[in-house]
Amino acid sequence: AKKKVRQGVVLVNGNKGRVDTDITIGSDHVKLQARTESKFQARGEAPFAITVIYEDDVMAIVHKPPGICTHPPKCLVPQTQAQSMMSMRCCVPYHVPCAPPGSEGILWRPMMAHRLDKDTE
């Protein structure tokens, strides 16, 4: 919470909040600002191809190929850059565009809503 306050995400009565700000319930208005712009820039080629089955302004459905992890694997053995990119979490942003700048109430970058096992298609 302190990190978000220091980042300027918390407004108190329309002003940037501070960690030491006292809040009076019923009197002060606290607002959390959502990030409305993605800093993600796809570089190079997508790690692998995926099929976008459905897409609209707020969601997308993609086909997860069998044998591909949903999230990059956490392991004790160091991985190469190419190995760490072989996951749906790393690949989806190449195929599903980020929300346009200033889009409030919409996730600013594609996120996984359902996690499937590596071998599940």
Side-chain angles (χ1 to χ4, degrees):
K2 288 181 181 180
K3 182 177 179 181
K4 292 299 177 189
V5 171
R6 289 187 181 116
Q7 290 174 346
V9 174
V10 179
L11 299 179
V12 179
N13 298 324
N15 299 314
K16 184 178 172 184
R18 295 174 31 138
V19 175
D20 61 352
T21 302
D22 290 326
I23 305 295
T24 304
I25 296 174
S27 174
D28 291 319
H29 181 72
V30 178
K31 180 179 179 182
L32 300 176
Q33 300 184 102
R35 189 184 279 182
T36 60
E37 185 174 347
S38 175
K39 293 186 175 152
F40 174 79
Q41 294 287 328
R43 295 182 186 175
E45 298 292 320
F48 54 91
I50 59 174
T51 303
V52 178
I53 298 169
Y54 173 81
E55 183 179 358
D56 64 18
D57 291 341
V58 295
M59 69 176 258
I61 299 171
V62 298
H63 178 259
K64 185 191 94 51
I68 300 293
C69 296
T70 301
H71 298 282
K74 294 179 183 176
C75 62
L76 301 175
V77 180
Q79 298 179 352
T80 66
Q81 176 88 17
Q83 289 171 326
S84 66
M85 291 291 289
M86 292 301 290
S87 70
M88 290 298 288
R89 182 171 180 230
C90 294
C91 188
V92 166
Y94 284 87
H95 299 280
V96 178
C98 298
S103 302
E104 293 197 32
I106 298 175
L107 290 175
W108 50 273
R109 95 170 213 255
M111 301 291 286
M112 300 289 124
H114 192 283
R115 179 177 177 199
L116 299 173
D117 295 321
K118 181 178 179 179
D119 296 326
T120 304
E121 182 174 348

